[in-house]
Amino acid sequence: AYPALVDTGQEAALRIFADRNEAAAAHPQGVRRLLEIALADKIKQARKQLPVSPKTGLLYAAIETQERLRGDLVDAGLNAVLADGLGDIRDADAFNARHASAAKALFGEAMSRLQLAETILGLVGQIRPALESPLMGWASGNLDDLRAQLDGLVHPGFLRDTPADALAQMPRYLKAMLMRAERAKRDPARDQARMLEIKPFADALADAAAQGRAGDPGWQALRWELEELRVQVFAQELGARGTISAKKLAQRLAALGR
C-alpha cells in the first residue's frame, strides 16, 4: 500500500493507493492543496496589496472580470513558488520549510506576474486590430488561424492556468504573432504554406482536448512545443527555445499514440 495526500477540492486528505504510480501522481496535488490552506492569510494579503493600475484592469476586462485579476495574479505567483518538488514533501519539517519559503516569496512572485501581465495585455491590445483584414476576405484563413491561436493563449483564467515557465514566454509568442500577422497580410500564400506545416499538431491537440486528455503531461509538452515551432516557422528572428522542429513534434505525437 502507498500513502499519499490527495486534493479533494477544498481540503487535502490522506489516501492509501494500491498502485505506486497513482500515489506518486496524486501526492504533489495534495501537498499543494495543504500548502494553499496554510498560506491562506498570505494569499489574501497579497491580493489586497497588489498595485494593479486602472489601465491594466481595463485591458483585462476584455478577457475576464477585473475582480478576478488580483486573484489570478496571486494564483500565478503560487504556480511559481509551488512549481517543483512537492512530491518529495512527506514530513512536517519538509512541509514547514516549503511553507516558510513560499510565504516569503509569494508577494514578489505575484508582483513579477503583474509586470508580466501588463506586458502581455499591452501586446494583446496591439494584436487584436492587426488581425483585421485590409480588404474583405483577404488573408481571412490566415487571420482566423491567428485568432484561434490568440484564444488558446489568452483566455479567462490564463494567468492562473498557464504553467509558470510558459507564461514567462508569452510575450515572445505574442510578438511572433504580430510579426506573422503583418507578413500574412502581405503574402497570404506563403503564410498558408507555413500554416500547413503547423496544422497536424494543432489538430491533434484539438482532438486531445475534445477527449479530455489535453492536460496530460505529454500533451502539455506538445502544446508548448507547438508555440515554439510557431515562433521558429513564422518569426525565426525572435528565436525558439531549444532545438525545435516539425520532425521532433511528429515524434512526440507518435509517442502519444497519434
Side-chain angles (χ1 to χ4, degrees), residues 163-223:
D165 58 342
L167 189 66
Q169 303 305 317
M170 194 85 77
R172 185 164 51 89
Y173 300 153
L174 295 171
K175 289 174 184 177
M177 291 182 67
L178 270 172
M179 296 173 70
R180 180 191 170 192
E182 294 306 317
R183 291 168 178 172
K185 286 185 283 189
R186 290 198 301 266
D187 192 345
R190 185 177 184 184
D191 182 86
Q192 185 80 20
R194 292 174 172 175
M195 190 170 69
L196 291 175
E197 184 179 349
I198 301 294
K199 190 175 186 301
F201 310 114
D203 289 348
L205 281 164
D207 290 344
Q211 298 166 15
R213 296 189 292 155
D216 296 348
W219 286 104
Q220 278 292 296
L222 178 68
R223 189 262 177 278

Side-chain angles (χ1 to χ4, degrees), residues 78-91:
L78 271 175
N79 289 340
V81 300
L82 303 179
D84 301 306
L86 300 187
D88 298 328
I89 298 175
R90 290 190 170 271
D91 59 50

Side-chain angles (χ1 to χ4, degrees), residues 2-3 9-10 24 27 35 45 49 61 67 70 73 80 99-102 109 155 167 180 193 196 200 241 244:
Y2 302 96
Q10 298 297 323
H27 188 65
L35 281 165
Q45 182 181 20
Q49 292 180 346
E67 291 74 17
R70 290 177 180 274
L73 289 168
H99 172 260
S101 65
E109 290 290 349
H155 51 79
L167 189 66
R180 180 191 170 192
L196 291 175
R241 282 200 307 171
I244 199 73

Side-chain angles (χ1 to χ4, degrees), residues 6-256:
V6 298
D7 180 2
T8 64
Q10 298 297 323
E11 300 175 339
L14 182 65
R15 296 283 186 268
I16 303 298
F17 291 83
D19 184 83
R20 180 194 296 270
N21 292 330
E22 289 182 7
H27 188 65
Q29 297 304 315
V31 173
R32 175 173 174 132
R33 176 60 65 190
L34 201 61
L35 281 165
E36 288 178 358
I37 293 169
L39 290 165
D41 288 343
K42 286 289 185 180
I43 292 170
K44 184 177 180 180
Q45 182 181 20
R47 287 174 177 169
K48 287 183 177 180
Q49 292 180 346
L50 277 177
V52 177
S53 70
K55 178 183 177 181
T56 301
L58 286 173
L59 288 170
Y60 195 70
I63 302 166
E64 195 172 15
T65 62
Q66 294 187 47
E67 291 74 17
R68 288 304 307 261
L69 178 56
R70 290 177 180 274
D72 287 353
L73 289 168
V74 175
D75 287 346
L78 271 175
N79 289 340
V81 300
L82 303 179
D84 301 306
L86 300 187
D88 298 328
I89 298 175
R90 290 190 170 271
D91 59 50
D93 288 343
F95 181 86
N96 291 335
R98 189 57 178 270
H99 172 260
S101 65
K104 184 177 180 180
L106 178 59
F107 186 75
E109 290 290 349
M111 279 295 300
S112 296
R113 297 312 177 278
L114 172 58
Q115 294 167 0
L116 183 58
E118 290 171 345
T119 300
I120 290 170
L121 295 171
L123 287 166
V124 171
Q126 296 177 50
I127 289 172
R128 293 198 189 280
L131 300 184
E132 297 299 324
S133 178
L135 297 170
M136 184 176 294
W138 182 258
S140 59
N142 315 70
L143 297 175
D144 285 346
D145 184 64
L146 278 160
R147 289 189 194 95
Q149 182 187 357
L150 183 62
D151 290 343
L153 288 172
V154 181
H155 51 79
F158 82 94
L159 289 170
R160 61 180 181 269
D161 295 337
T162 304
D165 58 342
L167 189 66
Q169 303 305 317
M170 194 85 77
R172 185 164 51 89
Y173 300 153
L174 295 171
K175 289 174 184 177
M177 291 182 67
L178 270 172
M179 296 173 70
R180 180 191 170 192
E182 294 306 317
R183 291 168 178 172
K185 286 185 283 189
R186 290 198 301 266
D187 192 345
R190 185 177 184 184
D191 182 86
Q192 185 80 20
R194 292 174 172 175
M195 190 170 69
L196 291 175
E197 184 179 349
I198 301 294
K199 190 175 186 301
F201 310 114
D203 289 348
L205 281 164
D207 290 344
Q211 298 166 15
R213 296 189 292 155
D216 296 348
W219 286 104
Q220 278 292 296
L222 178 68
R223 189 262 177 278
W224 297 111
E225 285 176 349
L226 175 57
E227 293 302 332
E228 294 296 336
L229 182 61
R230 282 174 166 140
V231 174
Q232 179 70 21
V233 170
F234 294 110
Q236 189 173 11
E237 57 267 54
L238 293 180
R241 282 200 307 171
T243 303
I244 199 73
S245 66
K247 181 179 178 180
K248 180 178 179 181
L249 266 68
Q251 291 171 344
R252 184 178 289 282
L253 200 55
L256 290 168

